[in-house]
Amino acid sequence: MVRHLYIHVPFCHRICPYCNFYKHTPGGTDQNAFIHSLLAELKMRSRECNLAPETIYMGGGTPTTLSIKHLDKLLEGIADTVDLKALTEWGIEANPATFKRDKAQLMRDSGITRVSLGIQSWTPTTLSTLGRDHSPEDARASFETLRACGFKSLNIDMMFSIPGQSPESWLADLEHTVELSPDHVSAYNLNYEEDTEFFDRLSQGEFQEDTSRDVAFFTHTTEILGQAGFEHYEISNYAKPGHHSKHNSAYWSGADYLGIGPGAFTTFQGTRWRNIANTTEYINQVTRNNLAGLVTEYEHIDAAAFRAERIALQLRTKNGIGMDILAASENKINDLADEGLIKKRDGNIVLTEKGKLLADSVASHLL
Ligand code: SF4
C-alpha cells in the first residue's frame, strides 16, 4: 500500500534562472487534456499501487498557475478518484500573484490544508537577480489572502547565498518573514544546479561560491528562526509546534510514494521510476493508456542504495539516524564525534550545529 501521493504540474509563468525542476511556460498546452491525463494516470496507478494517501503534495512548476476552472477540475477529480479517508495533509506549492481570493478559497474548500508560498526574498534587487516575477507587496498580499482563507498550515519558502545578497538584507528578509507569523519556513541555500543559467554563470566566473558566506547566512537563519519559536527539524526546514511537513518527513524516512504527472518520480517496493519529462508526450502516452510508455527512467533500489539514501536524508533531520542503519565502524563514528560534527542521542546519530554545515560530507563518511 502506498500512503503518499505527489502530483506534478509543470507550468510556470516565468522560468527562474536557477531552477532545474521539470517546468515550462503553459504555451499552447491543452490544459483540459493535461488535467484529464493527470486524473487518468492517477486512476490507473492508484489501483496498481493500492493507494490510500495520508499525504498529498502538489508541486511543480507552480500548480497555482492553473485557472480556477482547471484547478477545480483537478482537485475534484482527485477526491473522486482516491479514497481520502486516511488523508491528514494535502499540500500545494503556490507562487505570489498566481492566485486571488477566489482561487485560494477554492483550494481551501476542496480540502487543501497546507500551502507553501515561494517568496524567496523580500528584497527587490534579490528578487530581480532570482528572476522572480512578483514584488514584495505581491508576496505579502498573497500570504494575507491565504491566512484569510483559514488554511491549517502556511509555509514560506526563502533562499539565501544569492549573488549580490548581503548578510544584512538576509537578516531583514528573515525578520520580515517572522513578522508575518507563518507556521513553517523552508530556508534553502542556493544550489547551482547543472543545466541552469546560474550554473553557466558560475562556470564562467561571473558568480562565485563562498562557503564562509553560506555558513554566516545559515547561522543567522537558525538563530533568528529559533528565537522566533521555530523548531529546526531538518537542515532547511523550521516549524512551529504541530506544523512539520508530514509529506516531506515521510519522504526523508524512506516511505514509498506515488508520483503522477510529467517528470514525476515514484518509489514503490524497491523500485524507482520517472515519468517522461515532456508534457506533450506525457499526454499522448496517457491518452493511449500506455503506462509503460510513460516511464523513461527505471531503477532497482538495492539494500546498499536504500541505506545510502536513508543516511543522506535522515541525517539532515533533527532525530538523525539509527545506529542500526549505519555501516560505519565505531572508530569512524567516534572520529566524527571528536571533530564535533555528530553526537549520539537516544540511540541515534545526530548532526551538531557544526555538522549541519557539512552534512553531505558527514553522510559520505558514514556510508
Ligand atoms: S517558479 Fe519555481 S518551479 Fe517555476 S521556474 Fe521558478 S523555481 Fe522553478
Side-chain angles (χ1 to χ4, degrees), residues 12 14-16 18-19 21 23 60-62 95 132:
C12 295
R14 187 158 140 188
I15 302 305
C16 306
Y18 56 88
C19 174
F21 298 134
K23 79 283 166 192
T62 311
N95 272 332
R132 305 291 292 185

Side-chain angles (χ1 to χ4, degrees), residues 44-77:
M44 293 188 276
R45 294 271 191 224
S46 58
R47 270 191 243 118
E48 190 182 89
C49 297
N50 195 12
L51 178 70
E54 291 171 8
T55 72
I56 300 176
Y57 191 76
M58 298 169 65
T62 311
T64 48
T65 55
L66 293 173
S67 67
I68 291 189
K69 181 182 113 188
H70 291 120
L71 190 59
D72 188 22
K73 199 168 166 194
L74 177 59
L75 298 176
E76 201 178 294

Side-chain angles (χ1 to χ4, degrees), residues 15-35:
I15 302 305
C16 306
Y18 56 88
C19 174
N20 76 338
F21 298 134
Y22 175 62
K23 79 283 166 192
H24 54 87
T25 54
T29 308
D30 179 339
Q31 302 282 317
N32 276 323
F34 175 70
I35 301 296

Side-chain angles (χ1 to χ4, degrees), residues 295-306:
V295 175
T296 50
E297 296 168 30
Y298 189 89
E299 64 172 315
H300 173 62
I301 306 169
D302 62 19
F306 183 78

